[in-house]
Amino acid sequence: MVELLYDVLENTSIAISIVPLVILIVRWKRAKALSAWLFLTLLIIDLLTELSTLILAWNQINNLFIWHIHAIFFSILLLLIYRTYLRSNISSFTLLIPNIIVCISGLLEAFLNQGYLRANTITYLMLCSQAILYSQLLFSSLINDRQMKDLTRSSEFWINAGMLFSFGTTMCLTLFENYIFEINTELMYYTWSIQLVANIIFHLVLARGIWLMRRT
C-alpha cells in the first residue's frame, strides 16, 4: 500500500512539474527575458532529472550520480536567479560564497571513493542552506520595500515562498534520513512520499509566481 502511494505521488510529481513550464511558455512575453531564460533552464533540468532518475530506477540502474550533477547545476541557477532579485540589496560576492561551497562539496562527494554512486547528503544539505539563506534575504528585502503594498501580488514572493518551503522540507528530511534508514528501511517510503508532496506544492507555488511575472 505504501509503495503504491509512493508510485502515485511520484508520477503526480512529474506531471505537476510540467505546469510551471507550460505557464512560463504561455506568459513568456510578459516576463523579463533574463528571468524567463533562467527559469526555463531550471524547470527543464528539474524535469529531466525527475524523468531520468525514474527511467534508471525502472531498469534497476543506480541513478544517484544524477543528483550530484543536479545539485551543482541547481546551485548555480539559484545564484543567478537571486542575483537578479537582490542585485541592489546585497553584494554579488556574498551570494557567491554559498554557491562555491556547494560546488566544491558536490565535486568532492562525486569523485572521492566513487561517491557519485552514493547519495550526496552533505552537498544537498549545503544546497538547502544556500536556498534558505537566499530566501531569507529576499523576504527581508521584500518586507522592507515600502513601494510594495501587496506581497501576494508579487512574483518574487511566491517564487521565494516555494523555494523556502521546498528546501526547508528537504533539509529536515535529509537530516533524519540516515537515522530512519537504520531503524526501518520501509519507513523511507514515507519520507520519500513527504518529499514528493513537497515537490508537488513547490511546483504549484512556483507556477503561481511565474504567472505573476512582469517586465516592469
Side-chain angles (χ1 to χ4, degrees):
M1 184 63 183
V2 178
E3 294 182 18
L4 177 60
L5 174 63
Y6 176 78
D7 289 338
V8 171
L9 287 173
E10 188 173 40
N11 293 326
T12 303
S13 177
I14 293 175
I16 293 297
S17 66
I18 300 174
V19 173
L21 183 59
V22 172
I23 290 178
L24 178 61
I25 294 172
V26 171
R27 306 282 287 185
W28 186 269
K29 291 183 179 180
R30 297 179 65 89
K32 292 181 180 179
L34 178 58
S35 295
W37 281 109
L38 286 174
F39 277 104
L40 179 66
T41 305
L42 183 146
L43 290 169
I44 289 176
I45 289 177
D46 212 23
L47 181 60
L48 290 177
T49 299
E50 293 281 352
L51 289 173
S52 57
T53 53
L54 183 60
I55 292 171
L56 290 177
W58 282 344
N59 291 279
Q60 298 182 335
I61 300 174
N62 191 312
N63 58 19
L64 293 177
F65 69 93
I66 293 176
W67 293 105
H68 289 271
I69 300 171
H70 177 266
I72 293 175
F73 275 98
F74 214 96
S75 175
I76 295 171
L77 285 169
L78 280 178
L79 169 66
L80 296 176
I81 288 171
Y82 276 92
R83 275 184 64 183
T84 64
Y85 292 150
L86 294 164
R87 183 167 45 198
S88 60
N89 301 91
I90 192 169
S91 68
S92 297
F93 181 74
T94 302
L95 294 176
L96 185 62
I97 293 174
N99 172 248
I100 293 174
I101 294 173
V102 172
C103 290
I104 292 175
S105 174
L107 292 173
L108 289 175
E109 281 200 291
F111 292 106
L112 291 182
N113 299 320
Q114 292 189 329
Y116 60 89
L117 297 177
R118 297 186 305 233
N120 52 341
T121 305
I122 296 175
T123 301
Y124 253 86
L125 287 174
M126 295 298 101
L127 176 62
C128 291
S129 300
Q130 176 189 1
I132 291 171
L133 172 63
Y134 288 174
S135 63
Q136 293 293 333
L137 290 172
L138 182 54
F139 270 133
S140 177
S141 175
L142 292 174
I143 291 172
N144 293 326
D145 187 355
R146 296 181 179 179
Q147 295 181 348
M148 189 167 295
K149 298 179 180 179
D150 186 3
L151 285 177
T152 61
R153 299 298 301 170
S154 166
S155 170
E156 291 91 340
F157 170 81
W158 289 101
I159 291 170
N160 201 42
M163 292 287 185
L164 181 60
F165 173 78
S166 176
F167 284 98
T169 303
T170 300
M171 172 172 272
C172 292
L173 292 175
T174 304
L175 285 171
F176 295 103
E177 200 169 68
N178 292 333
Y179 175 71
I180 294 173
F181 187 78
E182 290 177 1
I183 296 176
N184 188 345
T185 54
E186 293 185 0
L187 290 176
M188 293 300 293
Y189 279 104
Y190 290 100
T191 60
W192 292 337
S193 295
I194 294 172
Q195 182 63 60
L196 289 171
V197 171
N199 196 50
I200 292 170
I201 295 173
F202 165 66
H203 282 97
L204 290 175
V205 175
L206 187 62
R208 170 65 174 169
I210 291 174
W211 180 264
L212 293 171
M213 278 184 172
R214 297 287 187 276
R215 283 190 179 274
T216 56

